[in-house]
Amino acid sequence: QVQLMESGGGLVQPGGPLRLSCVASGNIFAVNQMRWYRQAPGKQRDLVALSTSVGGTQYADSVKGRFTISRDNAKNTVYLQMNSLKPEDTAVYFCNLVEFKENTPLVDYWGQGTQVTVSS
């Protein structure tokens, strides 16, 4: 039983930075992926970045070079450092945890989301 809680969203001017945090409570399987998704009004939820439990990362093309995902396993926390923000980055950002067993996803947890608004 795992619960995720995002924080760090808010209003930021274009070009500015924000750092999102997601804290996972409960027991987490050793093999897992922490993911950030975002969903803009009227649009589908898209994967932004992911972090594996062995240090791998992946990014959507739209955020490569601007966003960095990282994690602190001791704190069960994943971060999304967002730099050079654009109005197009405005969305609700969701934290997602996928636990794996024998290379198969076993369970999927979602946070409630945190609003990021990029506007002058």
Side-chain angles (χ1 to χ4, degrees):
Q1 193 73 24
V2 175
Q3 186 176 36
L4 305 179
M5 184 69 70
E6 304 98 332
S7 63
L11 176 64
V12 63
Q13 294 184 339
L18 275 178
R19 190 175 82 157
L20 306 182
S21 300
C22 174
V23 179
S25 61
N27 294 321
I28 303 172
F29 283 22
V31 179
N32 64 76
Q33 292 183 5
M34 298 287 286
R35 304 173 176 179
W36 286 100
Y37 287 78
R38 67 186 182 186
Q39 187 169 23
K43 298 183 178 180
Q44 67 180 18
R45 187 173 299 183
D46 294 325
L47 178 65
V48 176
L50 68 82
S51 169
T52 75
S53 49
V54 293
T57 59
Q58 295 181 20
Y59 299 92
D61 288 341
S62 58
V63 306
K64 285 182 179 178
R66 300 188 297 121
F67 291 11
T68 302
I69 188 170
S70 62
R71 62 162 66 196
D72 185 336
N73 287 326
K75 298 180 179 180
N76 289 331
T77 302
V78 64
Y79 305 94
L80 186 67
Q81 178 65 51
M82 304 183 294
N83 297 323
S84 302
L85 283 163
K86 306 174 181 179
E88 308 92 272
D89 297 318
T90 296
V92 177
Y93 284 71
F94 296 90
C95 180
N96 178 55
L97 169 66
V98 181
E99 296 181 318
F100 290 81
K101 187 175 183 180
E102 298 178 344
N103 297 318
T104 301
L106 181 64
V107 67
D108 190 23
Y109 301 97
W110 289 89
Q112 292 295 108
T114 185
Q115 176 71 47
V116 173
T117 302
V118 184
S119 176
S120 60

